[in-house]
Amino acid sequence: MMPAGILLVDKPGGITSHDVVARARKALGTRKVGHAGTLDPMATGLLVLGVDSATRLLTFIVGLDKTYEATIRLGVATDSDDADGTVTATADAATVAALTGDAIADGIAALTGDISQVPSRVSAIKVNGRRAYDLARAGEEVQLNARAVTVSRFDVCATRRTETTLDLDVVVDCTSGTYIRALARDLGDALGVGGHLTALRRTRIGPFDVADAVVADGIAADLLVPQARVAASVLGAFAVTADEARDLRHGKRLSGAAERLERVPMAAIDPAGRLVGVVERRGADVKSVMNVPEEPA
């Protein structure tokens, strides 16, 4: 029987996140595989997969903060805000050459902190039941609403100039739902030269780092991270006795146990180190809001 767990995969460029899921299903011999947030085909980096009952934990992972390394090209705008799109505007070479470090720093500062961001028109956001990128590719007008996101770090690590463009290598820490392509677009617009993304790599999701990930062709069952360890790292461990674990699994509340919760929700872990489920406070009691099948000790 396939054990439940989380798999960290370093997605290569040129394939979709669904392609990685398909490879995992084939390698692990199960269709019970899902992921916690897509990466564009152009992008590389960390993809978190859930296997078997651990797919239930993906809900708690998808919303975690993320870190990206990216290259922004100033001087050229595209219809997709990245290098896969069609060029829609090219800035005058003299205007790009005149960009100063202070002007770029001011533009980045305006895109740091709590900001309102309009996602890229080729994002996976649904509009009337259809993906925005499907509408855009069909030539239909796409109107997306701005959303509140937080960019806690937006650092320039290196710059490279050509006669017509300026490339910025950046590192971004941000909340879930932030579009790095949109940051490139908005920075280029603010500087009056246009901009798009030429490279994107996700290096972190919450406590998970791409340095610990396996390549897409190296997926194997023995690389699964146990779901109890994952749940504890994301939610914090709530230790329960064997009797309490049985009660939670049977849908019963733990009377008067809420004072033991350090935060909510938390991961209930039994004495054998197995994940019981995710628990929350109900008045003075603790109740399971998501159980997982009991694994062999």
Side-chain angles (χ1 to χ4, degrees), residues 244-294:
E244 289 175 329
R246 183 188 62 248
D247 287 345
L248 288 172
R249 289 189 174 107
H250 290 167
K252 297 181 180 179
R253 298 188 180 196
L254 304 185
S255 179
E259 62 182 14
R260 290 161 46 196
L261 287 173
E262 298 176 1
R263 54 177 172 166
V264 290
M266 292 190 74
I269 308 295
D270 73 10
R274 298 170 298 189
L275 177 65
V276 178
V278 176
V279 297
E280 290 186 347
R281 183 181 291 110
R282 290 292 187 273
D285 302 337
V286 168
K287 184 180 187 303
S288 179
V289 293
M290 189 275 284
N291 277 346
V292 299
E294 186 174 357

Side-chain angles (χ1 to χ4, degrees), residues 97-147:
L99 288 175
T100 65
D102 287 344
I104 293 169
D106 289 343
I108 286 176
L111 294 170
T112 306
D114 298 329
I115 64 173
S116 181
Q117 181 186 75
V118 177
S120 170
R121 62 192 293 271
V122 293
S123 67
I125 294 173
K126 287 190 175 181
V127 180
N128 297 325
R130 296 178 62 189
R131 299 290 185 186
Y133 55 69
D134 287 332
L135 294 171
R137 289 166 185 164
E140 299 182 34
E141 186 66 25
V142 180
Q143 294 289 341
L144 297 176
N145 295 325
R147 54 174 59 188

Side-chain angles (χ1 to χ4, degrees), residues 178-202:
T178 305
Y179 284 86
I180 311 303
R181 284 177 296 165
L183 291 179
R185 175 201 66 205
D186 293 344
L187 179 61
D189 288 347
L191 295 171
V193 295
H196 70 282
L197 213 60
T198 63
L200 180 66
R201 180 167 176 79
R202 186 159 65 195

